[in-house]
Amino acid sequence: MKKLLLLLFFPLLFFESDEYDVKLVSLADVGYQVIGASDLDGYLLYMYYTEENESLYTEEEVKWFYSAIGEDGSLGETTKIEFDFAKNNYPNKKQVLGFVNNLTYSQNTGELFFSCRYIKKKDFGGHRNSFTKVRNRIGVGKLRNGVVTDVKLIPICEEENNCFHPTVSEDGETIIFVADFNGGWDLYESKWSRIKNTWSKPEPIEELASEYLITFPKLINDSLLVYSFEDPENGFGKRDIYKSEKINGVWMFPENWEELNSEHDDFGLEMIDEKRGYFSSDRDYSNPKLYYFEINENKKK
């Protein structure tokens, strides 16, 4: 019944000029910056940096948590998430694994899809000495009691390329992500083949090709794709949140989600039901914090 309600409400939510209430989440004063909100079946996943300077290769300064979501958008007690890379199933063991920079949960499969940074051990030169050799890869694992286990890479990215910020369909069999296969940072799609028992070769989403750097795509109900990029000419100033509806199998031209955007960086949106969600923004601070929003029924036009 919930999915039916989502299907009925989403067209109204995203394409009418409803008014939104936006507020800073009280948890936002913890950590240097708070980003990466993702729904975990009644809980919210999020990441924060504990220091100003992010680390490329360790998780010492980057931590993932999940908290129960209250009716008013407040977050309950936090549970830290650990990643069991020691028993990973990566293609080889000649890598130094970096921090996980994005998470998305598949309710259907119970898996966490993520992107993380890594570098070959032979190229590892220290804390930031080998930045040009660092690559982003997409992986998947199972969350059990706060620990992500059975970690493995999804073989959809070539050695010289970067793939990051995955979002997954409701059935867990389609991944949309950002990659630099053609020199830019565009959206690609890969599908799971039950016959071949592997992921298909990524294909670009041509109708959403952009000259700008795309980040944090999020599939909603398999019919709406939300993501962020900076459009100096038509945007509000910095990164804005955009939305594209899928009609008859084709993604429509993206629209600026004006009600949520500001003159600052706004990105990483996640919907938790048909009226509420979270995103990150630096509109009130020098670094991104977590914000909660919902439709204000009394302000509808």
Side-chain angles (χ1 to χ4, degrees), residues 186-249:
D186 289 312
L187 293 165
Y188 288 80
E189 181 179 72
S190 176
K191 295 182 178 294
W192 175 255
S193 171
R194 297 190 181 187
I195 297 176
K196 297 181 180 180
N197 198 37
T198 189
W199 292 92
S200 67
K201 180 181 178 180
E203 297 291 340
I205 303 179
E206 298 285 0
E207 54 266 42
L208 296 181
S210 172
E211 62 181 299
Y212 305 114
L213 171 62
I214 292 174
T215 58
F216 293 99
K218 180 65 65 172
L219 261 177
I220 300 174
N221 242 27
D222 290 352
S223 61
L224 192 84
L225 186 62
V226 180
Y227 55 96
S228 298
F229 62 87
E230 180 178 338
D231 183 345
E233 296 182 1
N234 303 307
F236 281 87
K238 294 187 177 181
R239 270 188 296 181
D240 289 335
I241 298 169
Y242 287 81
K243 55 196 177 184
S244 172
E245 187 181 15
K246 194 172 189 178
I247 300 177
N248 297 325

Side-chain angles (χ1 to χ4, degrees), residues 92-247:
N92 60 68
K93 303 294 183 180
K94 299 178 181 179
Q95 299 166 338
V96 176
L97 299 176
F99 67 81
V100 171
N101 51 41
N102 190 63
L103 278 177
T104 187
Y105 177 67
S106 170
Q107 186 172 349
N108 184 64
T109 65
E111 294 174 308
L112 280 176
F113 292 80
F114 62 87
S115 56
C116 68
R117 292 177 179 176
Y118 84 98
I119 185 171
K120 290 183 177 180
K121 285 185 178 179
K122 68 181 183 67
D123 294 328
F124 183 63
H127 183 60
R128 285 182 179 268
N129 299 345
S130 307
F131 180 80
T132 58
K133 296 183 182 294
V134 173
R135 295 293 181 263
N136 287 275
R137 293 291 183 265
I138 294 175
V140 63
K142 292 277 189 177
L143 179 63
R144 300 183 179 95
N145 300 318
V147 180
V148 181
T149 61
D150 302 328
V151 177
K152 56 186 177 182
L153 278 183
I154 297 175
I156 54 177
C157 198
E158 299 295 332
E159 183 69 26
E160 68 275 12
N161 296 121
N162 290 277
C163 301
F164 56 98
H165 292 175
T167 183
V168 63
S169 60
E170 289 189 341
D171 62 9
E173 296 189 356
T174 298
I175 301 174
I176 291 178
F177 59 96
V178 179
D180 61 354
F181 294 145
N182 293 321
W185 298 91
D186 289 312
L187 293 165
Y188 288 80
E189 181 179 72
S190 176
K191 295 182 178 294
W192 175 255
S193 171
R194 297 190 181 187
I195 297 176
K196 297 181 180 180
N197 198 37
T198 189
W199 292 92
S200 67
K201 180 181 178 180
E203 297 291 340
I205 303 179
E206 298 285 0
E207 54 266 42
L208 296 181
S210 172
E211 62 181 299
Y212 305 114
L213 171 62
I214 292 174
T215 58
F216 293 99
K218 180 65 65 172
L219 261 177
I220 300 174
N221 242 27
D222 290 352
S223 61
L224 192 84
L225 186 62
V226 180
Y227 55 96
S228 298
F229 62 87
E230 180 178 338
D231 183 345
E233 296 182 1
N234 303 307
F236 281 87
K238 294 187 177 181
R239 270 188 296 181
D240 289 335
I241 298 169
Y242 287 81
K243 55 196 177 184
S244 172
E245 187 181 15
K246 194 172 189 178
I247 300 177

Side-chain angles (χ1 to χ4, degrees), residues 51-67:
E51 302 291 341
E52 178 175 353
N53 296 316
E54 66 183 50
S55 167
L56 289 175
Y57 307 117
T58 73
E59 294 185 60
E60 295 176 358
E61 300 159 5
V62 182
K63 303 182 187 300
W64 280 94
F65 292 87
Y66 64 89
S67 301

Side-chain angles (χ1 to χ4, degrees), residues 22-37:
V22 178
K23 65 179 181 180
L24 183 70
V25 177
S26 60
L27 184 69
D29 59 355
V30 179
Y32 186 72
Q33 51 180 302
V34 186
I35 64 175

